[in-house]
Amino acid sequence: HMREYLELGQLGYIHNDVLFVHGGLVGGPWQGSTNESTKGAGDGLWGVDCYGFCPGTSERVEDAREWINMLNMWKQAQLADWMRQPFWNETAKADGKPARAASEIMDYV
């Protein structure tokens, strides 16, 4: 039942002009997603603006509907990979650490 729940779920959804996302719009960092406006705020931390970024890409998507579509397609691809290989593979990574399919989505959410 959990797999079906994950398949039916979405990372983001737009109803009329209201954006609903899983988690929020701050996270990461992903390549290119650092928000320069908070650099040097005195706390040593950089705020990370996730709006418009999809894992595996480095370019920001300005159109919210296009971005949410990309995120949800990426999520579905991650789940498909996981269903093909749901178990840990002891030799999957070059560094010798075990890995399994869809590890990127576990890092994302």
Side-chain angles (χ1 to χ4, degrees):
H1 291 63
M2 180 57 104
R3 187 185 82 197
E4 182 180 5
Y5 173 77
L6 293 172
E7 288 175 321
L8 295 173
Q10 298 182 45
L11 293 177
Y13 176 76
I14 298 176
H15 178 73
N16 295 324
D17 288 335
V18 180
L19 172 64
F20 297 87
V21 292
H22 171 82
L25 295 177
V26 177
W30 297 279
Q31 183 178 2
S33 66
T34 303
N35 182 352
E36 294 285 338
S37 67
T38 60
K39 184 178 179 181
D43 57 9
L45 302 174
W46 288 33
V48 179
D49 176 5
C50 299
Y51 176 84
F53 289 98
C54 185
T57 64
S58 60
E59 297 295 319
R60 179 187 297 263
V61 176
E62 295 297 329
D63 181 84
R65 292 178 195 284
E66 181 181 346
W67 170 55
I68 292 300
N69 186 49
M70 287 175 63
L71 275 179
N72 288 324
M73 289 185 343
W74 174 77
K75 187 263 313 180
Q76 287 302 110
Q78 288 286 299
L79 286 175
D81 286 349
W82 174 74
M83 286 187 273
R84 282 190 292 275
Q85 186 205 336
F87 302 106
W88 289 95
N89 181 344
E90 294 298 324
T91 60
K93 289 188 175 182
D95 62 8
K97 293 182 180 178
R100 67 177 175 190
S103 61
E104 292 88 2
I105 199 165
M106 288 184 269
D107 292 339
Y108 181 81
V109 294

